[in-house]
């Protein structure tokens, strides 16, 4: 087979494939913030596996631990039997993540994907409350299996279910009405009114930043008000931290800035630290009402992922140096993005931490920027209901220089596909 | 932390854990048909990760390929961008599996677990037919996410949903009524009767052997009649080959013996060959009506699994030697199981190939056999709605000697917890 | 407007109208077993308002009581306030119907139609059991509102819902498989099997004769076995006696012959005795767990109907003379129908009591018989999923002579549209 | 049985009965605005059968027509065959109601109750649009059968379903947030946003005044904006005019004041004019996409109701004299209610036309007023989610004197159970 032959993908892989359509290349090797195609082209990767590669590709320390584990013939697949690797992960996660943050949640290992974690969260929330409805927010994304899809906003994806989707109510995300209405008026009022026709839900599920829904970031006070509303009405609060968690917004959990304590937390994507499938559902102890085996899955004991996860926690979260470094990069990123946005009419910076981007009024623009960036060696994707946002997610380990380079490439890409403000002013 | 300390599991892991309750040990290393605990106890593993380890633990050839891939800094996580590893897998899967069997299915990579594969299958079946109901069978198991759970029989697991489950109709599995009724009378009649109250379904989903439901194996003629029924009525046929596939019953797909061609095939568990998370949904080309990105998932591009999957296909499925070897072991297993069953009242052999076991009339027996086997160094699990079946799943690579040893341990375990026929006759 | 002008129906009434399409006439007056069109044509009415006119049109005794009531300015509309007319009805219904039959059911007055009675039955069954599914039978008909429609078999009517229909399971009606399977094998087995995938239902709802579904009549032993099955599993038994009740099959309740005692009984159609809207839902006392007003409806206190209902009970059900008379007419009817069926290939008598008819193998035949009968001055309708049954429902008060005349007209109509056996034999 | 014996109600009628608990009496005769108990007590009836007796009890003209019809042995029960009485009704309804108002709707006769009319409306809306969701408003009431209940707000009544209720979305009724949010912001925004998670509904169903929900009356401009919103998005507009229609608010249809044209209109209650069960569903011609018989019901041809309905239309709606008279009474009523409300703290007038009442801040007050009024010979009921509104619905034919008398009795009743403002001021 010659280099860059993509015939087999076109003839044998399902039409459902998507990213490969935007980035017509065959990737082979990767390291840190870079990927290389098999014909040797280098790309600066500000996509980071949609948030699954927060520590970059093939981090040397993690790789070493992983290869040692495999070489030693340690248990790879264990369902939920006890293994040394799983014990090490639990101990480290408790010591470095939960305890320092005052969280006493128990850890459930669902199937190793984000949607499995969300399914587990919704099931246990319904079981514990005896209620059925889940409130989700406009433009939310929580996954593609039927339970998660019911709390996902995108109409194309919802239609893919081929059946109605049940037991979900929608509420406006922060700033959905541009401040025209008081926050949470609708939920607070209808939950109090026995004639409203809306039942009290089991839970509210929320992303602190809507990674797929257009990079809207909820204000800390909005999140606090949401937590308070839930507490007042006895409704559980689930934070889906699959994309925004594991340091992406600057702290390990994305909700730390707001100072709230969710009842249930969904983690996946970067929890293994190496792009290996893994997911967790964290539950307040009183919600751990599962029967043994009531929710299971073949790959809930994926030990190579436990090994890299443990190593990543030890490497990056044992003290606050990594957080400070991420904070610096985040500042650099937002400054850069703001600079670009200022140069274009109808462009706004969105997001928080290293989960950020630029929304364009003309919904076609972001897709064109993505293509122009690819031509220039930069991988960035789009987000939002109409793909109207260019989403910029460098690895958290990106260097200042790499980030500078990426911003420069993005600036060029934007300039190539849009008419900057200045020029348009000159023309005017 | 001292050896065999399990405190952290008890204090920090969710109550949902189950296998570790039956096997109170901390496993550390594994090779072929064996696992070792951290304190050095050896176990003969006739559980095989519930079918995810058909080629045994840490197969040396696969391990070598995996470590080489990781060492070379090849792409680990790729969503659905093209990678060299994915291309190799697709090519090999086509050349060694699909083409020789005359299958022209396209390959979808859903999230890397069996339930994600089933969810994708149900969604596309509904989309393509415009119909909503799915017929599943009594005691079926298809997964724990909401769509898959709706076609799963177990009432405890169904109740875990916390909501009603929708759009599934149940039909009797082969021999559910011990031959008292003609096969498929109910489906054939109600699908033809516009007044029956049952709508024509989008699809039927079936396991050829019910791995979780008690090791009932459908007869080949029953499967052929099912295929014929579906064709006559324009209903799609989905085979969930997650547990019975990848050689477990003696052929790569479990339905080869019956000579049927499913419209959709779900694969996971042993497809990676190394216990790494991976899943496929195979679709007849005319069913590949997905929009790009209509069904997605973060870990659908798990390249280490592609690498071991490709190696496993090349190693075991390039010719028919492996199949012949599995056939010998299957014969040995069934002879051994029959010998045990003959020695006990109310015991019957169930299953097909190396997916087999012994059902006991007294539903408590199987659990006691599992415990007695564990004491003797043998891992076997139970199956069936009341856990009434001892399920024996050695790796397909098990040697004749290992299998002999396992059967001897199982014989001892059964003897220890039951009164064999002969003795009871003597007592009588 | 000239006589027989039907313009306003065609221009202003909805396309949903149906009977008027088969009987293109404008009816004006009616008495006993006859109706007259406004242009003076007389029809023998063996349709009886689909069972709402069991005592014929405008029975003189009932008419007198009705007009007296109206003349005296007694309360017509009362919701569920107490009225003298309602008290009289309750007392008479208790004394003449419930007490003599050993029934201690309480009486609920839902909205005055059959479907409202069924909706009330389903709601209270679900409330009392805490379960949601209702089992109904193939080809059942229970009404057109959403709850009743979910337990109705006809696919055209089900599709009219415009949404999926929920929480109903279907089981085969008596003889659905022509005796090929043991009765109730499916329900008994799946209700006992925690892995079946079918939940235990709140209730089973059954018609003893399927008035709309093709006049299949359940055998008494089948009904007794059904009652026994329900008792064993703690499932409620609802008999929908809307069409078969009020004497239509020979006894007041259609299930008396079988000797069963339903938990809930739905009555409507002929309960008022005069064709006036009225319905009852009868509940075993322990099932009367309604909150005040939990199920209501504006016309649940339709006093003119109470008045004629009371009069009809006193006139026809104070002793067994009426029953004996109905038995004679039923024998006469079945003899006559059998005679007709014997004269045609592929024709069978169906039904019980004065709810009977002839099923034709050629599904087009019954419609042609209906039309030929109409030409000859006889009103009979069709029944069954394909309208393949001619349904003959004279008033219970029909005289021997009238019945003879109707059978003669029906014989002629059948002869006109089919090739009788004898002739065909001669031709052969 | 002695006078006023209520034993049989207590022993034999279901606990679901409600009004009789508030008004412990046995009513016997009625005329105009009055009812008499069997022991001769007279009550001024400002309840009017919850809106089913807009022309008072036993109106002499209607009574005469009804008795003539019955005496003449005209057809009483006809399903949907053509009858003279039905033709007369259709012609009169067209000539006096539809044509003068520029409405070209076709007339469907569903089962003769409000909830049947609503069920038909929801079904056809779903069928015509191919969409499933229906938007209803907070505190709406549309009926007790499963389809109607799904669009009803009251949580006690919803729970009575015993199953989840499907395919309904809730929106805030006019002034639900006391003007804090722009009208229809939520619907307009989410219907336009493909990522909102809310599907475009088939229809919106609305009451112009919430008869059961607490007598909130929508402003004309709110209704117009709603119509405009629906038109913009291709959503059907259903007005449930069961309680507010037939003149109750001053015009025949309650929406005439707003100048809107609903796509579908539900009528029942007072359409027969005499308290006889009858209902209509009016459809724009292009929505009349029913198959013959796709929605049916035994009592859809209740001819006595057609006769009184025709007479009532001719008597009251042939010119605008009746409307003017109702306008005068409405003014008198509102003046009187305002006077009462002004005399009490925390009391407000609600409603429109002769569908009006007083809401009390203390939710216990209204029930006490109802009891005190009953003691004084006045029948008024309560409304609202907590029964916090005294609802005053005299017949539209009430005389000035009768209304004066009723207001005086109500004033006394209110005074008896509350501390009027003035006195409290004096005490203070």
């Amino acid at each position: 087979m010659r280099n860059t032959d993509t015939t087999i993908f076109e003839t044998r892989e399902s039409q459902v494939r998507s990213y490969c359509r935007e980035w017509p290349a065959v990737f082979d090797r990767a390291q840190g913030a870079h990927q290389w195609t098999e014909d040797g082209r280098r790309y600066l990767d500000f996509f980071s596996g949609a948030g699954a590669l927060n520590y970059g590709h093939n981090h040397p320390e993690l790789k070493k631990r992983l290869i040692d584990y495999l070489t030693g013939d340690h248990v790879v697949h264990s369902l939920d039997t006890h293994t040394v690797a799983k014990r090490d992960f639990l101990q480290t996660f408790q010591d470095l993540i939960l305890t320092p943050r005052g969280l006493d949640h128990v850890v459930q290992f669902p199937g190793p994907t984000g949607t499995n974690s969300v399914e587990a969260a919704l099931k246990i929330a319904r079981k514990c409350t005896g209620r059925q409805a889940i409130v989700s927010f406009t433009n939310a994304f929580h996954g593609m299996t039927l339970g998660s899809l019911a709390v996902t906003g995108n109409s194309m994806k919802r239609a893919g279910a081929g059946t109605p989707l049940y037991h979900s109510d929608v509420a406006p995300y922060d700033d959905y009405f541009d401040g025209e209405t008081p926050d949470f008026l609708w939920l607070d009022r209808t939950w109090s009114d026995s004639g409203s026709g809306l039942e009290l839900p089991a839970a509210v599920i929320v992303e602190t930043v809507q990674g797929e829904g257009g990079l809207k970031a909820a204000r800390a006070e909005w999140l606090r008000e949401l937590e308070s509303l839930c507490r007042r009405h006895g409704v559980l609060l689930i934070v889906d931290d699959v994309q925004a968690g594991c340091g992406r917004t600057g702290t390990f959990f994305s909700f730390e800035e707001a100072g709230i304590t969710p009842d249930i937390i969904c983690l996946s994507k970067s929890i293994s630290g190496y792009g290996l499938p893994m997911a967790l559902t964290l539950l307040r102890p009183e919600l751990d009402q599962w029967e043994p085996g009531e929710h299971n899955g073949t790959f809930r004991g994926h030990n190579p992922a436990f090994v890299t996860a443990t190593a990543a926690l030890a490497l990056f979260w044992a003290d606050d140096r990594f957080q400070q470094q991420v904070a610096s990069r985040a500042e650099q990123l937002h400054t850069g993005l703001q600079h670009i946005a200022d140069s274009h009419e109808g462009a706004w910076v969105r997001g928080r931490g290293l989960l950020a981007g630029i929304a364009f009024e003309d919904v076609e623009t972001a897709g064109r920027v993505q293509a122009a960036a690819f031509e220039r060696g930069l991988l960035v994707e789009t987000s939002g209901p109409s793909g109207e946002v260019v989403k910029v997610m460098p690895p958290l380990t990106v260097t200042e220089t790499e980030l500078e380079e990426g911003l420069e490439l993005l600036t060029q890409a934007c300039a190539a596909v849009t008419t900057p403000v200045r020029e348009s002013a000159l023309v005017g």
Side-chain angles (χ1 to χ4, degrees), chain A:
Chain A
M1 198 182 299
R2 66 175 172 77
N3 268 1
T4 76
D5 188 342
T6 60
T7 312
I8 190 82
F9 299 111
E10 282 138 33
T11 58
R12 190 58 81 173
E13 191 179 355
S14 164
Q15 296 299 330
V16 79
R17 65 196 189 278
S18 59
Y19 287 110
C20 59
R21 298 172 191 270
E22 313 304 328
W23 298 326
V26 181
F27 295 98
D28 183 18
R29 286 184 313 105
Q31 178 45 245
H34 291 94
Q35 288 198 62
W36 288 264
T37 60
E38 65 179 335
D39 54 352
R41 292 228 300 151
R42 193 192 75 159
Y43 288 89
L44 188 55
D45 184 354
F46 279 19
F47 167 55
S48 297
L53 294 164
N54 280 359
Y55 313 118
H57 291 272
N58 299 324
H59 191 284
E61 273 299 310
L62 307 187
K63 180 169 72 172
K64 182 177 181 315
R65 298 290 289 273
L66 174 59
I67 290 177
D68 284 353
Y69 188 81
L70 295 168
T71 304
D73 276 341
H74 293 284
V75 170
V76 165
H77 177 278
S78 64
L79 288 140
D80 62 11
T81 56
H82 299 326
T83 65
V84 174
K86 187 177 179 181
R87 187 175 60 198
D88 289 350
F89 170 75
L90 278 170
Q91 192 68 50
T92 307
F93 190 72
Q94 172 180 286
D95 294 348
L96 297 186
I97 302 299
L98 297 178
T99 305
R101 289 163 182 81
L103 300 173
D104 61 353
H105 293 57
V106 299
V107 178
Q108 177 178 2
F109 297 87
T113 78
T115 193
N116 294 52
S117 172
V118 170
E119 294 263 348
L122 302 184
K123 284 165 77 168
I124 199 65
R126 284 165 168 149
K127 177 172 183 174
C128 290
T129 60
R131 300 192 296 257
Q132 306 189 316
I134 305 285
V135 167
S136 59
F137 291 97
T138 48
N139 291 298
F141 180 91
H142 298 291
M144 288 291 101
T145 52
L146 216 59
S148 305
L149 192 52
V151 290
T152 289
N154 186 288
S155 60
M156 182 271 275
K157 293 192 192 298
R158 292 177 71 86
T163 68
L165 295 167
Y166 300 93
H167 304 300
S168 60
D169 291 325
V170 182
Y173 195 69
D174 190 15
D175 205 34
Y176 190 67
F177 294 123
D178 309 312
E180 277 195 82
T181 65
D183 294 336
F184 301 112
L185 187 61
W186 174 242
L187 293 182
D188 198 14
R189 186 63 199 283
T190 55
W191 292 354
S192 309
D193 177 2
S194 69
S196 71
L198 279 176
E199 52 185 314
L200 193 69
V204 169
I205 185 166
V206 68
E207 302 158 280
T208 62
V209 183
Q210 296 191 313
E212 301 301 302
L215 291 178
K216 297 276 189 80
R219 291 162 297 143
E221 59 264 36
W222 187 86
L223 290 170
R224 281 191 293 270
E225 204 183 332
L226 175 59
E227 181 192 49
S228 160
L229 175 80
C230 287
R231 297 282 178 270
R232 275 203 312 283
H233 291 278
V235 168
L236 299 175
L237 178 61
I238 304 171
V239 171
D240 177 343
D241 229 13
V242 167
Q243 184 156 159
C246 299
R248 179 51 64 183
T249 65
T251 50
F252 185 81
F253 294 112
S254 70
F255 52 79
E256 292 178 40
E257 179 193 339
I260 62 172
T261 306
D263 298 293
I264 305 177
I265 304 162
C266 299
L267 284 180
S268 184
K269 289 203 186 266
S270 276
I271 184 64
S272 85
Y274 205 74
L276 302 178
M278 180 172 169
L280 304 177
T281 308
L282 309 181
L283 311 171
R284 273 183 194 271
E286 63 270 27
L287 300 177
D288 185 24
Q289 299 178 16
W290 292 111
E291 294 295 313
E294 192 175 357
H295 185 86
N296 59 22
T298 294
F299 295 112
R300 64 195 186 276
H302 180 208
N303 289 272
F306 298 160
V307 168
T308 54
T310 305
L313 293 178
L315 199 55
F316 296 106
W317 300 98
D319 56 40
D320 65 357
R321 278 177 297 177
F322 182 63
Q323 270 191 229
Q324 290 172 12
Q325 176 187 320
V326 173
S328 300
R329 289 296 83 71
E331 198 185 328
Q332 182 186 356
L333 174 62
H334 282 257
T335 303
L337 293 176
Q338 192 60 57
H339 192 73
I340 298 173
D342 288 346
S343 309
H344 296 81
E345 283 196 86
W348 302 269
V349 175
R350 290 249 185 94
R352 194 154 66 83
L354 290 174
L355 181 54
I358 300 173
F360 290 94
E361 196 165 41
D362 173 359
V363 297
E364 304 295 322
T365 302
R368 290 201 300 266
V369 170
Q370 174 182 20
F374 179 69
E375 282 172 26
R376 285 159 179 78
L378 175 68
L379 302 179
V380 289
E381 73 164 323
T382 62
S383 170
S386 308
E388 73 276 16
V389 180
V390 174
K391 184 177 171 186
V392 184
M393 290 178 76
L396 307 187
T397 53
V398 70
T399 64
E400 187 175 352
T401 311
E402 287 166 341
L403 183 50
E404 201 54 45
E405 178 196 353
L407 283 166
E408 176 55 30
L409 292 172
L410 186 64
T411 302
Q412 292 171 18
C414 288
V417 305
T418 65
T419 311
V421 168
R422 216 160 333 172
E423 294 181 29
S424 103
L426 287 174
V427 170

